[in-house]
Amino acid sequence: MNSPYKSSKHSTYFDVYDKLFSPYIGKDITFVEIGVLGGGSLFMWREFFGPQARIIGVELNPDAKRWEQEGFEIFIGSQSDPDFLEKIVREVGDIDIVLDDGGHTYEQQIITTECLLPHIKDGGMLVVEDTHTSYMEGFGLRNRSFIKYAMNMVDRINHRFARLTPNAAEKRAWGISFFESFVVFDVNRKATSVVSAPTENNGEDLHAKDFRHADNQTYETLLKTSKGLSALKAVPGMRAVAKLVRATVSLPSNMKRARKLKEYF
Ligand SMILES: C[S@@+](CC[C@H](N)C(=O)[O-])C[C@H]1O[C@@H](n2cnc3c(N)ncnc32)[C@H](O)[C@@H]1O
């Protein structure tokens, strides 16, 4: 409201900004907003973060150059052009926060995320705004939407635990958060490069019985039976037969469970 120039934001966005960006108030950070339009948000960010913050605008419309007179750094070009984004990073250096409020097409959002995430400082974040466009016409192929891309990233992050050996792509985002109309990628390379491994303390072990399958009696019974018949495992083909028997016996109980959970999907 204090900004001397026009900006339009949804009312639900301010709580998200406060949660995400408050820790950076008064800090010497590099903040990049993609999408400048009437310039109003640049002034909002300057007031919010304080005079130490370097506020940078990225815009396709060359008229945005006028904001340089107000002390903002402005880059003119397209957020879907990787060479342009690389050029920004070469000039600006690594970035604390990127806020993508540009054209909102899936292609623009995905290319910007892919190109700029590697240039976010540790402890920093890349925030994509207006992600509701993933459910709207006119922003690209819906089966290649930004939210689908982000959910695929969620799968890649969680899959790391199972495989223990993260590949380079999986290392890049440490955490992903979803808010209404926002997706946030947190960067912490040290934490992401730690290989996940079971970690135990030296506390006294009371050998607590593990009840993890206790509410699935079919599974429990199968487990006990297969343990009892473990000698048969040596017989050729027996493992495959056991797998088939397990799948068949647990089918009704699995179907019942699937039906129970259906309403949550
Ligand atoms: C939603 S407005 C930005 C509003 C501004 N952040 C505010 O809060 O007042 C989107 C802006 O993104 C710009 N834009 C659209 N496509 C772009 C692209 N490919 N690269 C950079 N900017 C783009 C538009 O020209 C427009 O000014």
Side-chain angles (χ1 to χ4, degrees):
M1 292 305 167
N2 296 339
S3 179
Y5 293 94
K6 186 86 182 162
S7 173
S8 170
K9 299 281 192 191
H10 293 272
S11 52
T12 49
Y13 288 12
F14 299 101
D15 283 336
V16 180
Y17 291 149
D18 277 335
K19 177 177 168 53
L20 298 176
F21 301 152
S22 292
Y24 299 88
I25 291 173
K27 303 249 169 77
D28 176 17
I29 58 159
T30 301
F31 176 88
V32 175
E33 184 170 43
I34 298 174
V36 169
L37 198 62
S41 55
L42 294 177
F43 289 82
M44 176 178 80
W45 298 125
R46 186 148 75 191
E47 185 180 308
F48 181 84
F49 289 113
Q52 314 84 321
R54 189 175 171 193
I55 308 291
I56 299 170
V58 176
E59 178 52 63
L60 198 49
N61 181 347
D63 291 348
K65 268 286 178 194
R66 62 175 289 173
W67 303 113
E68 283 181 341
Q69 293 163 18
E70 302 282 348
F72 301 108
E73 293 170 62
I74 302 294
F75 289 84
I76 302 298
S78 176
Q79 67 174 126
S80 56
D81 174 0
D83 294 337
F84 169 62
L85 296 175
E86 283 297 329
K87 180 177 155 270
I88 297 176
V89 172
R90 271 199 306 277
E91 278 189 43
V92 167
D94 280 354
I95 300 163
D96 294 279
I97 302 172
V98 168
L99 176 63
D100 178 358
D101 183 25
H104 307 312
T105 69
Y106 317 143
E107 185 185 62
Q108 289 163 342
Q109 291 168 329
I110 292 168
I111 290 176
T112 301
T113 305
E114 287 284 316
C115 291
L116 293 186
L117 207 52
H119 300 288
I120 301 289
K121 288 183 198 169
D122 280 329
M125 63 179 80
L126 185 145
V127 181
V128 184
E129 181 168 310
D130 289 335
T131 50
H132 50 256
T133 61
S134 281
Y135 310 93
M136 293 164 68
E137 291 301 330
F139 294 89
L141 291 173
R142 296 272 278 282
N143 60 354
R144 291 281 184 271
S145 75
F146 183 74
I147 289 290
K148 289 228 159 85
Y149 162 83
M151 293 196 324
N152 185 31
M153 278 257 221
V154 171
D155 286 337
R156 279 151 61 189
I157 282 185
N158 286 294
H159 197 226
R160 176 193 302 137
F161 182 76
R163 294 198 298 125
L164 299 182
T165 50
N167 66 26
E170 285 167 335
K171 273 186 187 178
R172 294 188 324 196
W174 176 47
I176 302 181
S177 335
F178 293 80
F179 297 86
E180 186 185 301
S181 294
F182 286 87
V183 176
V184 183
F185 300 89
D186 281 295
V187 174
N188 180 339
R189 289 177 186 82
K190 188 162 171 277
T192 17
S193 64
V194 173
V195 174
S196 184
T199 310
E200 288 181 353
N201 68 354
N202 289 321
E204 186 186 352
D205 191 348
L206 299 177
H207 301 287
K209 185 169 162 36
D210 187 343
F211 268 47
R212 76 182 78 177
H213 300 301
D215 64 349
N216 185 348
Q217 289 308 318
T218 316
Y219 192 88
E220 279 264 272
T221 313
L222 280 168
L223 211 62
K224 278 187 196 136
T225 317
S226 65
K227 269 183 193 153
L229 298 173
S230 60
L232 288 178
K233 276 183 197 161
V235 180
M238 211 49 203
R239 278 175 191 276
V241 173
K243 206 171 156 192
L244 187 68
V245 170
R246 253 198 319 271
T248 314
V249 174
S250 36
L251 191 64
S253 129
N254 286 346
M255 279 173 67
K256 201 170 146 206
R257 287 165 162 255
R259 264 199 306 277
K260 199 165 134 192
L261 291 179
K262 200 174 161 202
E263 65 179 289
Y264 302 108
F265 284 85

